[in-house]
Amino acid sequence: MSEISIVGIVGAGQMGTGIAQVAALAGFDVVLYDVSLEQARQGLAKVRAGLDRQVAAGKLAAELRDAALLRLKPADGVNDLAPCDLVIEAATEKEEIKRRIFAQVCPVLRPDAILASNTSSISITRLAAGTDRAERFLGIHFMNPVPVMKLVELVRGIATDDGVFEASKRFVERLDKTIIVSEDFPGFIVNRILIPMINEAIYTLHEGIGSVESIDASMRLGANHPMGPFQLADFIGLDTCLSIMQVLHDGLADSKYRPCPLLVKYVEAGWLGRKAKRGFYDYRGEVPVPTR
Ligand code: NAD
């Protein structure tokens, strides 16, 4: 393989659809795969809605949107990923799910195809070791929402080939993103710092030191963060926040990373944040209302 031109995305959720959107706009052909054709089609509808919003806001010409939409295809099964030069896995943040996906996808791919994970926290080296291509595996970690956020963390596994890393770097540069390189340790750079901060905000709430609103206002106005930690946690997804805390806790074996029991409770309730219409705020009405 010389250069990447066809990109497969596994997982048509928040992140997969965002990656599909920026890749199609940058001129790549994109195949979007999820558990069913129906799910992949729903993902594509989200991409279309995202592009329409950009056109309506005057940020994108309608012709560029139409051209990008022609480059996007929903996958009707894993075999549709066969022509891909690069496959980015952006499925649920659970190691066994990702392992199962790689076991299904690898036999379909060309031996020279690159496989990447958008995992927020799971070891790239360990994920790579469970595939048939540890040398052609790396972490390409986008931020949410992908069309807006400038940063991408590139994470090399212990075996990642230099040529694969450079080809992936060129791919990300074509998306007009800024790259930082992180060593492969739990949470990489951004989430190693960000998610414990969110977890600490949840402890601050749990211990009754402040309310959802006062803690969010404190960090917005007192630390100049654009969003409060609860707004951000709801935006990321509380299940994703909990998974990352568990990975930090397990991987670094330090009690300072213990997930707050209140976060666990919200996840057990299915109050996962914006995507479930309820988290630390209730999004079912006109304006978000704190749930505590
Ligand atoms: P999400 O819940 O919105 O989407 C996950 C998608 O994966 C769903 O559409 C689901 O149907 C699909 N999926 C599950 N099992 C599958 C399988 N076996 N085959 C194909 N598809 C499958 O999650 P998300 O927020 O998009 O997160 C996806 C990944 O991106 C995770 O690894 C997460 O850690 C990472 N990530 C998330 C954020 C964030 O802020 N949410 C930021 C950066 C990275």
Side-chain angles (χ1 to χ4, degrees):
M1 184 198 72
S2 49
E3 251 345 89
I4 292 164
S5 65
I6 308 178
V7 180
I9 314 262
V10 176
Q14 302 191 77
M15 296 304 291
T17 53
I19 301 166
Q21 182 172 327
V22 297
L25 272 179
F28 295 96
D29 287 320
V30 178
V31 183
L32 191 56
Y33 171 80
D34 206 294
V35 287
S36 66
L37 178 59
E38 190 42 43
Q39 286 275 110
R41 282 197 175 130
Q42 281 175 19
L44 275 191
K46 282 189 213 147
V47 176
R48 195 170 300 121
L51 290 169
D52 285 346
R53 273 196 302 276
Q54 282 183 295
V55 171
K59 291 182 182 154
L60 179 69
E63 307 82 71
L64 294 179
R65 170 199 56 197
D66 298 343
L69 286 171
L70 288 176
R71 291 186 205 106
L72 284 154
K73 286 189 188 59
D76 185 11
V78 77
N79 286 330
D80 285 359
L81 295 171
C84 294
D85 305 309
L86 164 70
V87 169
I88 303 173
E89 171 278 315
T92 313
E93 184 75 346
K94 287 258 183 308
E95 189 160 341
E96 43 318 342
I97 292 180
K98 295 189 187 292
R99 282 181 179 279
R100 249 183 285 133
I101 287 171
F102 297 140
Q104 287 171 336
V105 168
C106 284
V108 170
L109 299 181
R110 286 197 319 267
D112 66 341
I114 299 174
L115 189 54
S117 176
N118 183 50
T119 177
S120 303
S121 59
I122 302 170
S123 161
I124 294 300
T125 299
R126 196 166 66 236
L127 286 176
T131 72
D132 61 356
R133 60 190 74 215
E135 297 77 14
R136 309 195 67 75
F137 192 102
L138 79 163
I140 305 183
H141 182 220
F142 291 83
M143 308 292 131
N144 187 19
V146 180
V148 176
M149 301 297 279
K150 290 301 290 176
L151 189 79
V152 171
E153 285 183 308
L154 281 188
V155 187
R156 212 190 269 269
I158 204 166
T160 308
D161 181 83
D162 284 345
V164 166
F165 194 77
E166 290 305 318
S168 306
K169 220 168 144 184
R170 287 194 295 278
F171 162 72
V172 176
E173 280 163 358
R174 272 191 57 193
L175 306 181
D176 196 24
K177 301 289 184 196
T178 302
I179 295 170
I180 60 101
V181 179
S182 168
E183 288 296 319
D184 182 24
F185 285 100
F188 314 129
I189 294 175
V190 172
N191 287 324
R192 171 75 178 262
I193 299 167
L194 179 66
I195 303 297
M197 193 270 300
I198 287 175
N199 194 52
E200 199 59 30
I202 302 170
Y203 269 112
T204 310
L205 175 71
H206 185 51
E207 292 171 13
I209 299 164
S211 64
V212 166
E213 274 178 320
S214 65
I215 295 166
D216 269 354
S218 301
M219 297 309 284
R220 277 199 312 267
L221 305 177
N224 220 13
H225 288 193
M227 294 168 97
F230 296 110
Q231 292 175 303
L232 185 56
D234 278 357
F235 189 70
I236 294 169
L238 302 188
D239 51 343
T240 300
C241 291
L242 178 58
S243 295
I244 298 170
M245 278 316 292
Q246 283 162 338
V247 167
L248 291 174
H249 195 228
D250 294 348
L252 299 166
D254 188 328
S255 65
K256 76 177 177 183
Y257 298 112
R258 68 212 182 287
C260 179
L262 186 60
L263 172 61
V264 176
K265 192 189 276 195
Y266 269 75
V267 172
E268 284 174 351
W271 294 13
L272 305 181
R274 278 184 176 270
K275 63 184 169 187
K277 301 224 178 307
R278 212 168 358 173
F280 288 105
Y281 291 89
D282 188 333
Y283 299 93
R284 292 171 300 171
E286 294 260 298
V287 286
V289 177
T291 52
R292 282 184 103 72

